[in-house]
Amino acid sequence: QGIERYMKQAIVDKNSSVASSSLVSAFHLVMSNPDVVKRWSNEVQEAASSDSQMVQYHALGLLYQIRKVDKLAVMKMVQKFTKSSMRSSYAQCLMIRIAAK
C-alpha cells in the first residue's frame, strides 16, 4: 500500500520525466494487475491534462488500457478529450487509433 501512494504521487509529479516514467510503469503493471492500476484513474486523468506532451501521451494510453473492456467508457473518454485541446501530437494520433477501433 505504501508503494501505491508513491506511484500516485509520481503520476502527478511536476517533473515530466518522473510522471512519464511512472505512467509507463503503470502501463506495464496494468497487464498483470489491472485492479490496482484502476484505483489510480483520477491521478492518470489529472496527468492527461499536463503541459508535457509525453505525459499526455502516456496518460492517454494508460487510460485506454484501463477502460478498453468497457466500450461506453472508451467512447466517453474519446469525446472528452476531443472536446479539450490535446497539445500533444502523439496523443492526438493515439486518440485517432482509439477512435478507429
Side-chain angles (χ1 to χ4, degrees), residues 25-66:
S25 298
F27 189 85
H28 289 290
L29 186 61
V30 79
M31 305 300 179
S32 61
N33 202 348
D35 296 332
V36 173
V37 180
K38 280 184 184 179
R39 290 186 288 213
W40 307 340
S41 291
N42 292 336
E43 286 78 11
V44 177
Q45 282 184 333
E46 189 177 332
S49 63
S50 171
D51 291 334
S52 171
Q53 292 186 3
M54 288 311 289
V55 173
Q56 277 187 351
Y57 171 70
H58 289 127
L60 184 63
L62 183 57
L63 280 173
Y64 175 70
Q65 286 298 319
I66 291 170

Side-chain angles (χ1 to χ4, degrees), residues 81-92:
F81 286 115
T82 51
K83 289 178 183 175
S84 67
S85 60
M86 296 288 284
R87 289 176 293 280
S88 170
S89 56
Y90 299 119
Q92 288 174 349

Side-chain angles (χ1 to χ4, degrees), residues 31 63-71 74:
M31 305 300 179
L63 280 173
Y64 175 70
Q65 286 298 319
I66 291 170
R67 298 175 179 173
K68 70 180 177 183
V69 293
D70 185 7
K71 296 290 184 189
V74 171

